[in-house]
Structure formats: structure tokens, C-alpha cells
Amino acid sequence: MAEDKKKLWGGRFEKSLSDLSREISESISFDKILYKQDIRASLAHAEMLAKQDIIEKGQFENIQKGLLQVEKEIEENKLEYSFELEDIHTHIETRLTEIIGDDGKRLHTGRSRNDQVAVDTHLYLKEVIANQKSELIDLLENIFQKAKENQKKIWPGYTHTQIAQPVLLGHYLMAYFWMFFRDINFLLFAEKDCDKMPLGAAALAGANYPIDREFAAKKLGFSELYENSMDAVSSRDYQMTYHFFAAKLFIHISRFCEEMILYNSSEFQYITMNDAVTTGSSIMPQKKNPDIAEILRGKTGRVTGNLNALLMNLKSLPLTYNRDLQEDKVYLFDTAKQVSYGIKGVSEILLNVEFHPEKALENLEKGFAQATDIADYLVSYHKLPFREAHELTGKLVAYCEKKKIYISSLDESQIKEVLGQYTLSKKVILISECINRKQGTGSTSEKELSVQLKKAEICLEGLK
Ligand code: ARG
């Protein structure tokens, strides 16, 4: 068993940790990515200690110089990591003391790794969120542009995966714009939750020194402090909120990907994904598979799983810090990475897709997508009660099905054969005419879609 001479708590222990326990308890293999946040927080803490005369100014200056050197060594891949030193906090402090000597041992005055890991992850998540906010804005812009380009093209609207009514392609795409727009609002909640500083809680009860938490918070860019030291070290709400956001986002991503995969199939052929987002098969030479959309759809399981993992980790966990909490970073770092892939991946698919409205129109005809409009016409023009109009239109659909013809190709005598005295004008039986008949804010008419696009533009501006 390796000698434990570097342990932070050596004083009280006689035997060292077993090799297996050491392996179970290490977090350096994943928390090393927190080095920047850890050093930043240590610099602020040390400066506060000096300002409050808890350490001397010269000691702070040494600590500062030493921490910057440790940072450089990490960035140049020169720092050796070992399970014995458990986590990034211990690695940095140990190396600092090796470099500057005894002054390094003063850095941990009035703090604990409990508030240290909490402040590091708050800082980390704040940065992640700032980046992902702008990635999401880029995605919204891409969807908006696509919707604008395709403002006039007709697209099938579905319910129950059955053709329902025609809509504009731009309107269809904007449905995703609003989904992702709401996700940004959710992300902003998470951003707010991260903007609270836990540092100064020390182990759980506060520090035995005249610390100035407000000073450190200002240095680190936090707008608020945790009001309660016990809550500060045990809360993972800021991570929960982020995972809720990520899970909701990925549910939306999975719905988008599912439709792209379906519409790209040889059965639908509504879209073609180009080579940038498709891959071939090792055995079937004809294949072009929509792998990127499939992988993103699959990642939904992983991201919602990470949310569940954190929830289960926290369930019934007593106050305050418990080592269970070390696991939170595994879920957090993974989800943060997948979220960026997800957001950028959706843009990548969207930018590499060609839409085929002519194929979509064919299916709208096959699906008798103007049927509701015909029933409504019988109500408004011939003053039939809706139930009767519905019944009559149903008969018209059945007639077309039997004869294997589209409603739009019916001639006057055929219409008479089914509807008797109730005539239908040519305009009423055309799919393309259904669009602008739709009324009310948020409907698919060209007029309302322009209103919607204007509103989206204002919302996008508001986010910048
Ligand atoms: N590596 C630990 C974590 O990630 C840091 C905090 C350790 N605190 C403790 N009391 N052992 O949670």
C-alpha cells in the first residue's frame, strides 16, 4: 500500500486507505476539468483572507504566484495526477505547497472542500450556460432562416401519424423554433440558480475567521450569496435545474430527429439529408443512414438518465455534505457535453437537409387533407349543421378511395353523384387553398405566419 504522507488529514489516521477504497473514492479522473475554476476561486479566497488580515499580504502574493504556476503546469500537461490525492482541490493545494512552501498551507484557512467544490461547480456551470445560451440562439436563428426561406411551401400536418391538414413548411419549422425558445427560458432559470456563491460556508457552519463573503463574491462575479451555510454546501438545486433544462431540450431534439429520420426514409421522401449528416453501411452499398439524427435521438436516454441519476443521488440525503455528492459531477459534465452536441447537431441536420414539398403534396392528396375544409364549406356556404357536413364529406372521401382518385380531381358530376344538391367550387377542393382559409393568431395562413415571424424576430432580438 502506498504511503499516505501527502494526505490532508494525516494527523488522526494510523493506517492508510486500501487500494480499492482509494480507487472508489478518487474523483481526479473526472474533476480535473475544474482546475481553472478551482484556481480562480482560490485566488479570490486568498485575496479576501489578506484583505481581512487573516493572512499577510506577502503570503497572499506567494499564494497567487504559486497558483498561477500550478495553472500553467496543468495547461502544459506537466502536473502528475494520482489517486492518492483524490481530487483536483487536493492536487492543486499540494502542488502549491511544493512550489511555495509553508505559505501554501495557509490557503485553506476558513474554507473546506465542501464549499470549494460547490463554488467550483457553480462557476463551471455558469460558463457552460453562457456558451450554451449563445449556441441555442444560433440554433433559433437557423430555424428562423429556414422557416423564412420556406414561408410559402406547403407541408403536411399530421395527427396520429396520419395526414391531417396542409400547413406551410415555414409554419411547421417554427413549431420547433418556439420549443427551443422555451428551452432558453428554462436555461435562464438554471443560470439564475448558479449565480449564488456558496464559498464561505466552510465545512457547514461558517468560518471561524472574520471573512468577507461579499468581497469574494464580487471578485468571482456572483450576484448573490447563499443565505445559509448548511444549504450552501448541500444544495445541488443549481445542477438539478440545469438537468431539467437538458432533459426537456433533449426531448425536443428527439422529436425533431425522429421526424427528420422518418421524412428522410424511402417511404416518405419528404426530405433528403446530404452526405454531411449521413453515413453508409458496411454491407449494403445502397444505404445512406441518418446516423447523426439517430445518435442525437439516442442521447436523449443518456441525458434524461443523468437527470434521474442526480435526483436519485439526492433523494433522502441528509444535511449537509455527504460524499455521495461527489458523483454529481459525472452526470453534470456528461450532460453539459451532450447538450452542446445536441444543440449544434440539430443545426447541422437542418442546414444539410433538402425539403421536397412536391412529395409532401402528393401525400396530402392521398390523405384527403382538404376534407375538413370541405366540411366547413358545406357549413358556411350551404348552411348544413357540422355533423351532417362531416358525414357527407366522409362519403366523398370514401367515394374517392373506391375510385382511386384525389378529391382535387373530382369533376362536377362526380361531386353531384355524392353530394346531390350541394355543390363545391373548384377552390374548395384544392389543397393549396386550405392554407389561407385558416384564421386567428398562430394559424398557418401566410398572413399569420408573417405575424409569427415578426414576433420571433423580436423575441430573438430580446435574447441578444
Ligand atoms: N471530491 C469531493 C467532491 O467532489 C470534494 C469534497 C470533499 N469533501 C469531503 N468532505 N470529503 O465532492
Side-chain angles (χ1 to χ4, degrees), residues 78-133:
K78 286 188 182 140
L79 190 77
E80 246 181 66
Y81 298 113
S82 80
F83 284 1
E84 208 175 324
L85 295 179
E86 259 186 37
D87 55 26
I88 189 65
H89 325 294
T90 316
H91 275 79
I92 290 175
E93 195 187 321
T94 307
R95 182 67 192 129
L96 172 73
T97 306
E98 273 170 18
I99 299 170
I100 66 166
D102 280 353
D103 285 350
K105 295 181 184 165
R106 296 186 186 274
L107 172 62
H108 214 54
T109 315
R111 82 170 182 190
S112 150
R113 278 187 300 163
N114 299 352
D115 57 347
Q116 199 178 348
V117 72
V119 76
D120 290 1
T121 42
H122 277 75
L123 288 170
Y124 163 85
L125 199 47
K126 272 179 95 174
E127 278 171 43
V128 165
I129 290 173
N131 288 333
Q132 291 179 347
K133 195 161 70 177

Side-chain angles (χ1 to χ4, degrees), residues 213-269:
R213 292 185 70 207
E214 285 75 7
F215 176 84
K218 208 159 165 219
K219 282 265 144 203
L220 293 172
F222 285 104
S223 343
E224 284 177 59
L225 299 176
Y226 274 87
E227 297 81 359
N228 179 300
S229 61
M230 295 176 83
D231 183 38
V233 288
S234 66
S235 168
R236 293 297 181 268
D237 285 18
Y238 63 106
Q239 293 187 28
M240 251 196 278
T241 319
Y242 178 71
H243 281 287
F244 285 137
F245 148 77
K248 185 161 109 63
L249 171 84
F250 258 91
I251 296 295
H252 293 154
I253 290 176
S254 76
R255 295 180 74 172
F256 173 80
C257 289
E258 169 74 7
E259 290 204 319
M260 292 299 108
I261 293 163
L262 210 60
Y263 293 167
N264 187 60
S265 67
S266 47
E267 287 74 12
F268 278 82
Q269 294 179 15

Side-chain angles (χ1 to χ4, degrees), residues 143-418:
I143 300 176
F144 179 80
Q145 282 313 328
K146 276 276 165 192
K148 246 184 140 170
E149 284 162 27
N150 293 290
Q151 244 185 95
K152 301 252 148 106
K153 293 179 190 146
I154 294 178
W155 200 248
Y158 283 82
T159 61
H160 312 272
T161 329
Q162 303 275 325
I163 291 269
Q165 293 179 350
V167 293
L168 290 170
L169 176 50
H171 188 64
Y172 162 78
L173 290 169
M174 284 307 286
Y176 283 102
F177 176 96
W178 296 111
M179 273 184 234
F180 292 123
F181 178 73
R182 288 192 298 272
D183 289 335
I184 293 206
N185 286 335
F186 231 58
L187 185 63
L188 298 181
F189 283 134
E191 188 175 45
K192 186 144 179 25
D193 274 354
C194 285
D195 198 17
K196 266 172 116 75
M197 192 189 75
L199 194 65
L204 76 158
N208 289 326
Y209 302 89
I211 58 169
D212 183 349
R213 292 185 70 207
E214 285 75 7
F215 176 84
K218 208 159 165 219
K219 282 265 144 203
L220 293 172
F222 285 104
S223 343
E224 284 177 59
L225 299 176
Y226 274 87
E227 297 81 359
N228 179 300
S229 61
M230 295 176 83
D231 183 38
V233 288
S234 66
S235 168
R236 293 297 181 268
D237 285 18
Y238 63 106
Q239 293 187 28
M240 251 196 278
T241 319
Y242 178 71
H243 281 287
F244 285 137
F245 148 77
K248 185 161 109 63
L249 171 84
F250 258 91
I251 296 295
H252 293 154
I253 290 176
S254 76
R255 295 180 74 172
F256 173 80
C257 289
E258 169 74 7
E259 290 204 319
M260 292 299 108
I261 293 163
L262 210 60
Y263 293 167
N264 187 60
S265 67
S266 47
E267 287 74 12
F268 278 82
Q269 294 179 15
Y270 291 177
I271 64 167
T272 311
M273 288 187 198
N274 72 33
D275 297 0
V277 289
T278 50
T279 65
S281 152
S282 57
I283 178 169
M284 297 167 279
Q286 84 283 13
K287 296 271 269 179
K288 246 190 191 187
N289 296 325
D291 290 29
I292 305 310
E294 290 176 306
I295 292 168
L296 293 185
R297 187 177 58 179
K299 280 182 189 297
T300 309
R302 181 166 169 179
V303 168
T304 53
N306 282 337
L307 162 66
N308 207 37
L310 180 69
L311 294 176
M312 289 305 98
N313 181 299
L314 295 171
K315 182 188 172 292
S316 315
L317 201 67
L319 291 178
T320 56
Y321 179 86
N322 296 276
R323 196 66 182 278
D324 316 40
L325 292 173
Q326 177 164 292
E327 291 284 303
D328 66 352
K329 286 169 286 300
V330 178
Y331 328 134
L332 181 64
F333 299 158
D334 185 46
T335 284
K337 193 167 169 189
Q338 304 316 319
V339 164
S340 276
Y341 278 143
I343 299 169
K344 290 190 272 184
V346 169
S347 273
E348 193 80 348
I349 293 168
L350 198 62
L351 297 174
N352 287 290
V353 146
E354 200 189 321
F355 293 94
H356 306 303
E358 62 300 341
K359 273 306 280 187
L361 198 59
E362 213 179 295
N363 269 5
L364 281 164
E365 292 283 10
K366 277 191 209 156
F368 309 110
Q370 65 278 64
T372 315
D373 286 60
I374 292 175
D376 284 337
Y377 177 82
L378 293 173
V379 170
S380 57
Y381 189 78
H382 293 291
K383 308 292 173 221
L384 284 179
F386 184 76
R387 278 288 146 244
E388 266 174 50
H390 187 288
E391 167 94 17
L392 269 181
T393 313
K395 285 196 171 126
L396 200 66
V397 169
Y399 176 88
C400 289
E401 238 168 3
K402 212 164 102 209
K403 298 235 165 202
K404 295 197 168 36
I405 49 174
Y406 297 153
I407 292 183
S408 59
S409 54
L410 284 171
D411 62 26
E412 244 176 76
S413 68
Q414 289 169 313
I415 294 171
K416 202 162 176 203
E417 208 183 315
V418 187

